[in-house]
Amino acid sequence: HNHTTTMPLRQKKILKLAKGFHGNRKNVWRVARLAVWKSLQHAYRMRRQKKREMKQLWIKQVNAACREHSIKYGQFMHGLHISGCEVNRKMLAELARMEPLSFFSVVQLSTLSRKVAAAGLNPHAAADVPLPYKLYDFPQEFDAENENRTQKEYDTRTSTVQKALTEALERERDEDAKFEEQLKKEMESKKKADDLYFGTL
């Protein structure tokens, strides 16, 4: 016998939410009330947990795609941030999965932006340097600026960026050579100390 017609509206709403539950949870008021309350608590928590899990999935997909181009996820996102590119992780994951060449152009933009910033120049200038396999321009606001800039200004800015990158790479090579030389000296002194110590035993 259906007792829902004589129930208050509040109980009807609860039983309506409990439709499809197993056993007495779907039609017994006392059991259905607790089951619905608990299910609403789980739904509230899982709506937020789903967003966290999807973000973790996108980060994993972008990280895997970055590793194919020999760059870490943190370095990649840092380069995009300083370049002004505002493509979110969801779109980056879609690019990595559906448009690998376009994703490669974004990786090149991120790498170039970090190098330009390390050289002490404006990181936004990295968007003006031609990139290999550049199917799309990121970010889009640079398109209008490039259309209004003359070819001479464009060549001057590009050569300035390339010159700064060359100088930065040379400084990096010099620092690496100095570090290797210092490490070699330390290893030799340590070896001499070990030979002297074990020779006295």
Side-chain angles (χ1 to χ4, degrees):
H1 182 67
N2 188 6
H3 298 283
T4 57
T5 55
T6 60
M7 285 185 177
L9 181 61
R10 176 174 62 91
Q11 295 186 4
K12 288 182 179 180
K13 288 182 179 180
I14 295 296
L15 290 178
K16 186 177 180 180
L17 291 174
K19 183 178 179 180
F21 285 11
H22 181 70
N24 292 336
R25 291 168 174 260
K26 66 178 180 294
N27 52 14
V28 178
W29 159 246
R30 291 184 177 180
V31 181
R33 181 187 61 180
L34 297 177
V36 169
W37 285 355
K38 200 66 177 176
S39 66
L40 292 178
Q41 291 177 1
H42 290 316
Y44 179 86
R45 184 183 73 251
M46 294 305 295
R47 280 196 298 270
R48 286 148 182 79
Q49 185 173 342
K50 180 181 179 181
K51 294 180 177 63
R52 293 194 297 267
E53 292 177 351
M54 292 305 298
K55 185 177 180 180
Q56 291 175 359
L57 177 62
W58 296 332
I59 290 175
K60 290 179 181 178
Q61 292 175 346
V62 174
N63 185 27
C66 289
R67 297 290 178 171
E68 293 181 357
H69 302 294
S70 302
I71 184 175
K72 295 181 179 179
Y73 171 79
Q75 296 173 343
F76 171 70
M77 295 304 296
H78 175 65
L80 289 185
H81 175 71
I82 63 179
S83 68
C85 182
E86 298 181 355
V87 182
N88 58 24
R89 293 173 179 83
K90 180 179 179 180
M91 292 298 101
L92 289 174
E94 288 292 324
L95 282 177
R97 189 164 56 91
M98 305 296 295
E99 293 286 344
L101 293 181
S102 300
F103 183 80
F104 178 63
S105 68
V106 182
V107 172
Q108 292 293 319
L109 173 61
S110 173
T111 304
L112 195 57
S113 299
R114 288 190 294 109
K115 292 181 179 180
V116 169
L121 297 177
N122 182 10
H124 289 188
D128 299 330
V129 179
L131 302 176
Y133 306 107
K134 192 170 183 181
L135 304 184
Y136 303 101
D137 289 324
F138 295 96
Q140 294 294 337
E141 56 263 23
F142 286 103
D143 293 341
E145 183 181 356
N146 290 339
E147 290 176 359
N148 298 327
R149 186 182 297 115
T150 62
Q151 185 66 32
K152 183 178 179 181
E153 293 174 347
Y154 176 82
D155 295 339
T156 303
R157 192 169 185 179
T158 303
S159 62
T160 303
V161 172
Q162 292 177 347
K163 181 180 179 181
L165 291 178
T166 304
E167 294 176 354
L169 291 175
E170 290 178 355
R171 288 197 300 268
E172 186 176 354
R173 293 194 193 98
D174 294 339
E175 291 176 358
D176 291 341
K178 291 179 181 179
F179 177 76
E180 292 178 358
E181 185 178 357
Q182 182 180 359
L183 182 62
K184 186 177 179 180
K185 291 181 179 179
E186 291 179 357
M187 293 295 293
E188 291 177 354
S189 61
K190 185 175 182 300
K191 184 178 179 181
K192 291 179 181 179
D194 292 341
D195 294 340
L196 182 61
Y197 174 75
F198 289 110
T200 57
L201 296 179

